[in-house]
Structure formats: C-alpha cells, structure tokens
Amino acid sequence: MPIDELEACPVGDLFRRLGDKWSMLLLVLLGRRPHRYNELHRAIEGISQRMLTRTLRALETDGLVLREVHPTVPPSVEYSLTPLGRTLLDPLSTLADWAVRHEAEINEARCRHTGAR
C-alpha cells in the first residue's frame, strides 16, 4: 500500500488518535458522565495540564468531545462526549473485552518470541 494511502486511511487515522497514551482513557471517563477540566486532571494520574488540554482539543477537533463553557463567575468548562463519541464506546468495549480475554495467549506468544519465561 502506498504511504500516502496508508496515511489517508480513516482506520489508521483513528487508531493513531486512540493509540496515544490518554485519548482512550478520556473517552471512557467522559462516557460515564460529563466532567469539568480539573476533575479530569485529578482523575488521570500522571497527565500534565498541557497534555490534557492537547488531547481534549484533538478529541474535540475530531467531533468526539464537546466543550461547553457555562456563563458563571468564574466561567466553568465542562467536557462530555458528543453523539458521535458515544457511538465509539461499544466498539472500544468490544476491543477491551477481546484484549482481556486473550491476554494470556498474547503474553505467551511474546515470551515465545523473545525467549523469555
């Protein structure tokens, strides 16, 4: 497959987005309920404010996350999944179930491949 076709592939594009360190975790958290920014920051150990902001913006750009500013003093910002983002929860759950179901087999194959035990 030519590299330009590979880079333009919607499947690969989505996997690159979801395969980063934080996107899937944010989608799962927001799938439970809307969260304010500081709630998300406290809920995800090890994420910097800069990375949280970048990841939320990327998910918002993709149409998966909605950012709502509420006219309070000071303004409060709440993040939630869009309807499109919600449609991603079932396939993610299926993929997660598969990974858990086959974890032992994957680990065994890795050990055989590396010669480790």
Side-chain angles (χ1 to χ4, degrees), residues 2-22:
I3 191 73
D4 58 333
E5 286 182 33
L6 183 62
E7 289 176 357
C9 175
V11 175
D13 185 49
L14 179 65
F15 279 13
R16 281 188 293 278
R17 168 73 68 227
L18 298 180
D20 72 23
K21 189 171 182 177
W22 307 110

Side-chain angles (χ1 to χ4, degrees), residues 74-95:
S76 62
V77 178
E78 187 175 73
Y79 294 90
S80 60
L81 290 185
T82 63
L84 178 63
R86 290 210 159 278
T87 66
L88 191 52
L89 293 177
D90 281 340
L92 287 179
S93 179
T94 300
L95 187 59

Side-chain angles (χ1 to χ4, degrees), residues 21-75:
K21 189 171 182 177
W22 307 110
S23 291
M24 199 171 320
L25 182 55
L26 280 166
L27 291 170
V28 169
L29 284 172
L30 294 174
R32 293 178 184 159
R33 65 175 178 81
H35 284 74
R36 292 190 4 229
Y37 181 89
N38 285 330
E39 287 181 296
L40 289 169
H41 191 245
R42 284 190 301 270
I44 303 173
E45 187 175 326
I47 193 169
S48 67
Q49 288 185 345
R50 180 175 182 265
M51 188 52 66
L52 177 57
T53 298
R54 288 180 66 187
T55 306
L56 285 167
R57 282 185 186 155
L59 293 169
E60 185 181 5
T61 298
D62 287 348
L64 302 174
V65 168
L66 176 66
R67 179 181 186 267
E68 286 185 274
V69 180
H70 299 284
T72 58
V73 178

